[in-house]
Amino acid sequence: MAAAVVWAVLSWLVANWWILIVLGAATIVGGAVWSHRLWQQRAWNRVRQQALRYGLPQLDALHHRDFEYAVRDLMRRDGCTDARQIGGAGDNDADVLATDPLGRTWVIQCKHRRDGDRGPAVGTPDPQRVNGTARQLYGADIVLVVTNGRFSTRCAPLAAQLRMHLADRRTLATWASGGRPLWDLLPRVPPTPQKPLDATGRRRPSGYASALITVCPS
């Protein structure tokens, strides 16, 4: 019975071969249209990312989780095409992972303050925590703490000692509202990846580089 059905179908297709041509042509045209729309969408996304701007009132009003996504989007705007938000339980003090165009690994901890610089200052425990995981776990070339608020007076000397970077409210405003990437606004940023050691003591390749950003609630 099954053989008879198969034979009938094949006989019908042979007799109506033109239907196969029509279906094939329709498939090709449909695929071309879909590919073109996908290309248009990606191009539009790139345009929107390149034009992305945030004002401080916008950033202040965000939930701390949305602040993570804002930082991720700013990194993408500046050429970190793989930037993604990874914050949550077990994130090892990291909320956003990305790689800059020069292949440098960034680990950035972002501290959101609902009251901006009128809120409590970011203290030294936060830089200490992210410094403890950034290089060892993620092979960071650049460790950064960024806030829409302010840092305590003890943070700057500690950051210099630990070879970290701090981006306060003023730096964040310049970065978020303009077109300059973060690495052009920070002093003494390593020009090339540092190629940290892996578990066997060998240097990891430059392609291992990535950027990591942590945003914590106020």
Side-chain angles (χ1 to χ4, degrees):
M1 181 64 179
V5 172
V6 171
W7 177 256
V9 170
L10 292 176
S11 298
W12 184 87
L13 289 175
V14 170
N16 299 275
W17 55 268
W18 57 271
I19 294 180
L20 295 178
I21 296 177
V22 171
L23 290 176
T27 300
I28 293 174
V29 171
V33 171
W34 178 83
S35 297
H36 180 67
R37 289 180 177 176
L38 180 61
W39 177 86
Q40 284 183 319
Q41 183 63 43
R42 289 177 174 174
W44 174 239
N45 288 340
R46 286 195 296 270
V47 170
R48 286 192 302 175
Q49 288 173 4
Q50 292 170 358
L52 180 65
R53 300 289 187 273
Y54 285 110
L56 283 177
Q58 290 176 283
L59 296 173
D60 291 343
L62 292 176
H63 183 270
H64 72 88
R65 188 68 71 205
D66 294 327
F67 189 48
E68 299 174 11
Y69 286 104
V71 173
R72 177 205 66 180
D73 292 343
L74 288 170
M75 295 295 284
R76 287 182 177 179
R77 180 199 70 183
D78 294 339
C80 302
T81 57
D82 65 346
R84 62 186 186 275
Q85 187 274 343
I86 62 170
D91 58 19
N92 294 310
D93 293 302
D95 288 320
V96 177
L97 178 66
T99 307
D100 77 17
L102 294 181
R104 293 170 298 195
T105 301
W106 290 68
V107 176
I108 311 173
Q109 184 183 60
C110 306
K111 302 294 293 182
H112 185 259
R113 294 290 185 258
R114 287 175 294 180
D115 297 325
D117 55 1
R118 298 186 304 276
V122 178
T124 56
D126 300 297
Q128 288 173 335
R129 280 195 296 269
V130 69
N131 183 69
T133 60
R135 295 185 177 93
Q136 291 82 352
L137 297 182
Y138 301 105
D141 295 305
I142 303 164
V143 184
L144 171 69
V145 181
V146 60
T147 181
N148 66 321
R150 56 192 175 88
F151 292 98
S152 70
T153 57
R154 298 179 59 188
C155 282
L158 176 66
Q161 181 181 0
L162 297 177
R163 296 183 294 110
M164 296 176 60
H165 291 80
L166 303 178
D168 59 10
R169 184 175 179 85
R170 181 177 178 180
T171 303
L172 175 63
T174 302
W175 178 41
S177 64
R180 297 177 63 190
L182 192 56
W183 43 90
D184 283 353
L185 301 173
L186 299 174
R188 299 182 301 278
V189 173
T192 57
Q194 300 302 298
K195 299 182 181 179
L197 297 176
D198 63 15
T200 66
R202 294 175 296 183
R203 292 289 178 184
R204 294 187 178 118
S206 299
Y208 183 83
S210 56
L212 204 72
I213 301 168
T214 299
V215 182
C216 299
S218 56

